[in-house]
Amino acid sequence: MAETYDFLFKFLVIGSAGTGKSCLLHQFIENKFKQDSNHTIGVEFGSRVVNVGGKTVKLQIWDTAGQERFRSVTRSYYRGAAGALLVYDITSRETYNSLAAWLTDARTLASPNIVVILCGNKKDLDPEREVTFLEASRFAQENELMFLETSALTGENVEEAFLKCARTILNKIDSGELDPERMGSGIQYGDASLRQLRQPRSAQAVTPQPCGC
Amino acid sequence: MQPAERSPARGPRVDPYGFERPEDFDYAAYEEFLSAYLVVLTRRALKWSRLLQENGGLNRTSTVKRYVRKGIPLEHRAHVWLAVSGAQAWMERNPGYYQRLLQGEEGKSELEEAIRTDLNRTFPDNVKFRKTAQPCLQKALFNVLLAYGLHNRSVGYCQGMNFIAGYLILITKNEEESFWLLDALIGRILPDYYSPAMLGLKMDQEVLAELTVLRIWDCLFNEGSKIIFRVALTLIKQHQAFILEATSVPDICDKFKQITSGSFVMECHTFMQKVFSEPGSLSMTTITRLRENCRAALLAQR
């Protein structure tokens, strides 16, 4: 891989089934809407190198299955994530109501410092809306989340959501609030790293699972 | 099995089960494989007709096991699956049960909602499951999953079951039979194991060539879940060096996806021979013991 970048961030996409997580990822990576897709089983991956504030950052995105009972499986992928898109569907109150549970999982299993952006997806289906912008932005404020309404169909705010999350992480690195060298930070230095740091292997997000069954 | 009409340059875009072939489908390699495989199929078909004529009821004898391992001809597949899995017997003991499940009103709405979320997301690459198909198999899929969720309330609906039920419907072309086969799989063949096993099954269905999947399922119904381990072990062993090249988790997952395609899995007959020779002996006793250990370890982690 001859890709050069300053940092690598591990991102999660989480939220209830059918909210459009995989479609958001697809839109971000391919710049188009994924028309016919299977639901996700376990986890899928995507990655893209982006430019944020003069730095090149590789986002390694872990897209998870949303069905409640798969949570016991997907939770094991959270470890060491630096950022997350927490997705609900603006036309489904049920998916909004389960946000608190997803958030708890992210903060306890990934890291208490994980940078989370709340995404109210399917913005294009405004006539069927069940959750208002105001209500969700209040929830975001109370829980210290960033917030955007997105549409994986039209692409509106999709790129912005990922970039906003990445930018916030970079700011926190600059201010010293996040230490990339701390184990499980979800951040790795890339080859083009400004510092002459050999990437400590121990800081990798990859932690082998004790048992596959 | 009848190969569908083929143009000399390229085969049909849709396979005999309704699945669209991927863009990069290797028609030439498939053609070559099929011409050899048709000989096998013809021989098996003759042997099966003879076996089924002699033997009114199919018992799980060593002859049947051998026959199943070599593949069940498509025209007998539904019948044999029903017989060897015990689904037929359950269906006969419970006439009208399937229909009654669907007529009941109790506790349906949440289940219906969960199933509906996945209807459009089941085999989007299969023309028979398109909303516009006539008839559209989405309705049958909905019924079978709903009935099953009502029948086995502790399992309800779990993502992954949709693909299994979808396959059963394609093969049996009958809702009630699909329901009882699903019950055999989830209730007995993969008991208490449905969530992780789904991952394996989904892998089979989504990625392996259809012919190979069906050959695996032939044995799954007859011999039980250890066939899944055999398939997984065979794939891993075959591609050991390739998998070890991976340097990250996403890399590993990618590699696991890649090893489920290509000529190794397309040539179903050779593949199935490897499945029974490569991993060596694999007894159910061993698997049961390992499962017990893992279960204890998992429970202790909670």
Side-chain angles (χ1 to χ4, degrees), chain A residues 213, chain B residues 193 225-226 229-230 233 279-295:
Chain A
C213 28
Chain B
Y193 190 64
S225 57
K226 75 172 174 183
F229 291 96
R230 283 193 169 277
L233 288 169
S281 127
L282 186 68
S283 79
M284 207 54 211
T285 324
T286 312
I287 292 174
T288 310
R289 199 188 59 237
L290 289 171
R291 278 182 176 161
E292 292 297 328
N293 294 346
C294 289
R295 191 197 308 273

Side-chain angles (χ1 to χ4, degrees), chain A residues 140-153:
Chain A
Q141 209 163 28
E142 281 162 14
N143 292 281
E144 295 175 349
L145 310 171
M146 294 175 286
F147 172 53
L148 280 175
E149 282 192 343
T150 57
S151 167
L153 181 72

Side-chain angles (χ1 to χ4, degrees), chain A residues 129-192:
Chain A
R129 178 189 285 278
E130 288 183 4
V131 183
T132 65
F133 182 88
L134 192 68
E135 183 180 3
S137 56
R138 212 172 283 142
F139 175 86
Q141 209 163 28
E142 281 162 14
N143 292 281
E144 295 175 349
L145 310 171
M146 294 175 286
F147 172 53
L148 280 175
E149 282 192 343
T150 57
S151 167
L153 181 72
T154 66
E156 187 179 349
N157 279 342
V158 175
E159 178 125 348
E160 185 56 28
F162 283 93
L163 294 187
K164 213 170 167 164
C165 201
R167 203 174 300 129
T168 307
I169 295 168
L170 270 178
N171 289 342
K172 289 193 172 187
I173 294 171
D174 284 345
S175 72
E177 203 177 323
L178 275 177
D179 176 10
E181 283 166 65
R182 191 184 54 81
M183 184 133 92
S185 67
I187 302 162
Q188 291 172 36
Y189 291 109
D191 313 328

Side-chain angles (χ1 to χ4, degrees), chain A:
Chain A
M1 300 288 131
E3 261 176 339
T4 51
Y5 45 81
D6 297 312
F7 292 104
L8 183 148
F9 295 166
K10 174 175 172 177
F11 267 33
L12 299 171
V13 188
I14 53 175
S16 299
T19 51
K21 297 179 290 299
S22 302
C23 290
L24 282 170
L25 176 60
H26 191 80
Q27 177 65 255
F28 178 63
I29 307 270
E30 305 283 339
N31 271 311
K32 57 183 179 226
F33 181 62
K34 200 174 179 189
Q35 193 62 250
D36 300 310
S37 51
N38 287 317
H39 58 75
T40 308
I41 295 240
V43 67
E44 297 277 341
F45 299 95
S47 72
R48 193 181 134 186
V49 177
V50 292
N51 252 302
V52 191
K55 298 255 168 38
T56 48
V57 179
K58 178 171 176 168
L59 302 181
Q60 180 195 77
I61 306 153
W62 298 45
D63 172 28
T64 61
Q67 200 192 13
E68 178 66 31
R69 75 183 65 186
F70 282 97
R71 235 191 245 192
S72 59
V73 180
T74 51
R75 285 163 70 140
S76 57
Y77 303 124
Y78 284 34
R79 199 178 320 196
L85 266 73
L86 173 58
V87 187
Y88 70 97
D89 169 359
I90 65 155
T91 72
S92 159
R93 172 144 303 266
E94 218 183 313
T95 65
Y96 176 80
N97 289 342
S98 50
L99 287 175
W102 288 108
L103 189 58
T104 309
D105 271 7
R107 288 196 167 138
T108 50
L109 297 162
S111 149
N113 303 320
I114 186 170
V115 174
V116 181
I117 182 160
L118 179 66
C119 297
N121 195 33
K122 309 197 188 177
K123 188 176 194 288
D124 50 284
L125 296 178
D126 198 63
E128 295 162 50
R129 178 189 285 278
E130 288 183 4
V131 183
T132 65
F133 182 88
L134 192 68
E135 183 180 3
S137 56
R138 212 172 283 142
F139 175 86
Q141 209 163 28
E142 281 162 14
N143 292 281
E144 295 175 349
L145 310 171
M146 294 175 286
F147 172 53
L148 280 175
E149 282 192 343
T150 57
S151 167
L153 181 72
T154 66
E156 187 179 349
N157 279 342
V158 175
E159 178 125 348
E160 185 56 28
F162 283 93
L163 294 187
K164 213 170 167 164
C165 201
R167 203 174 300 129
T168 307
I169 295 168
L170 270 178
N171 289 342
K172 289 193 172 187
I173 294 171
D174 284 345
S175 72
E177 203 177 323
L178 275 177
D179 176 10
E181 283 166 65
R182 191 184 54 81
M183 184 133 92
S185 67
I187 302 162
Q188 291 172 36
Y189 291 109
D191 313 328
S193 178
L194 302 173
R195 307 223 243 142
Q196 287 153 328
L197 244 174
R198 251 156 296 128
Q199 177 188 319
R201 273 284 156 204
S202 58
Q204 280 204 329
V206 180
T207 314
Q209 294 304 304
C211 167
C213 28

